[in-house]
Amino acid sequence: MKKLVIAANWKSNMTRLEAKKWLEDFSMYEVPSDIKIVIFAPFTLLDMLSAYIKINDLPIFVGAQNISPFGKGAYTGEICAQQIREFATYVLIGHSERRSNFNESNEMINKKIEKAKEEGLQIMICVSDLDQVKILATNDLVIAYEPIEAIGTGKPQDPKEAELFVNQIKETSNVDVVYGGSVNGENVINYTGLDNVNGVLVGSKSLDAKSFVDILKNAI
Ligand code: PGA
């Protein structure tokens, strides 16, 4: 049976206090043990999250939402792979919000993939079209397919359309693919139930622990 990856993308949300409350809430629920759970959190929370998860033995992997395309050195404001590696095992690269708000190009994203790989970070890259899949170095990572019109709109893509797209990705690249865009506890099974879909990436519905746990429970 395929092992699902269900990832939370907290974006620019959560203070330390709020994140601690989320973890306390999450700890009160039973969650399926055969799902890989990842939280892509802001850099400011990585230290606290990794420590809390370790001490309380929670079944969660920590991920960063971005990474420097450079190594360590004179790159003011950047967080490099080595620094992320201290607290996180995953990194999310090339989210469409970074492409649109920060002009991230495929070339830049490839540099970030290279840096993440050098430090042994697990990578999830976001794509919204097939050209991106062809240009990006997609071996040994997870692709999150996120149609732009489905992100943050409450209007998820029709699962049949998503399946078609995911099948096309699989023809180009032999990697695990997760779906993202307006996933919630009610619709998650429409995607995780598809043969070629290995999980979901969740934005707004991951901000509340109970909503996220509902997604985990209804994914199987
Ligand atoms: P959403 O965000 O679940 O709020 O649509 C998904 C994402 O941007 O990764």
Side-chain angles (χ1 to χ4, degrees):
M1 214 183 82
K2 65 182 177 183
K3 173 131 180 154
L4 292 175
V5 180
I6 301 212
N9 177 9
W10 282 357
K11 308 190 179 185
S12 274
N13 294 294
M14 301 273 202
T15 59
R16 279 165 67 92
L17 212 60
E18 287 164 347
K20 190 158 172 283
K21 172 82 172 59
W22 190 102
L23 291 166
E24 283 162 7
D25 290 349
F26 179 91
S27 312
M28 296 187 325
Y29 299 102
E30 286 258 333
V31 293
S33 59
D34 43 1
I35 294 178
K36 184 173 257 193
I37 304 167
V38 185
I39 298 179
F40 291 109
F43 288 125
T44 50
L45 300 177
L46 297 183
D47 190 0
M48 186 277 275
L49 276 183
S50 62
Y52 190 102
I53 285 166
K54 199 169 171 198
I55 290 164
N56 294 283
D57 199 22
L58 296 181
I60 299 175
F61 292 86
V62 176
Q65 297 172 8
N66 187 26
I67 184 169
S68 172
F70 304 105
K72 67 175 181 178
Y75 304 101
T76 303
E78 288 298 301
I79 312 280
C80 71
Q82 259 185 314
Q83 294 169 312
I84 293 171
R85 191 76 190 89
E86 286 193 286
F87 308 111
T89 44
Y90 271 82
V91 63
L92 187 67
I93 300 179
H95 191 279
S96 65
E97 287 154 12
R98 296 211 56 83
R99 291 175 189 265
S100 61
N101 294 318
F102 303 97
N103 296 323
E104 269 190 22
S105 62
N106 288 319
E107 192 191 2
M108 168 76 82
I109 292 166
N110 270 336
K111 281 191 190 153
K112 293 183 174 198
I113 292 173
E114 194 185 312
K115 288 295 165 201
K117 281 194 175 159
E118 278 172 18
E119 279 304 314
L121 288 162
Q122 308 270 337
I123 301 163
M124 184 178 281
I125 55 159
C126 300
V127 303
S128 54
D129 67 50
L130 276 179
D131 284 343
Q132 291 167 353
V133 181
K134 286 178 193 142
I135 294 166
L136 297 173
T138 56
N139 43 332
D140 297 328
L141 44 70
V142 176
I143 291 182
Y145 164 53
E146 298 204 302
I148 292 178
E149 62 284 359
I151 297 176
T153 56
K155 294 186 183 133
Q157 189 171 49
D158 184 312
K160 285 202 178 73
E161 273 178 55
E163 185 176 35
L164 271 179
F165 193 92
V166 171
N167 288 346
Q168 284 176 300
I169 296 179
K170 293 267 189 184
E171 281 167 22
T172 313
S173 190
N174 180 29
V175 290
D176 284 355
V177 183
V178 304
Y179 167 81
S182 298
V183 172
N184 60 37
E186 278 85 61
N187 65 28
V188 61
I189 191 71
N190 300 341
Y191 302 95
T192 51
L194 298 169
D195 280 350
N196 266 342
V197 173
N198 299 89
V200 286
L201 177 59
V202 186
S204 52
K205 295 294 175 193
S206 71
L207 295 176
D208 172 67
K210 165 83 170 61
S211 307
F212 188 62
V213 169
D214 283 346
I215 292 172
L216 295 172
K217 286 187 174 163
N218 295 343
I220 301 174

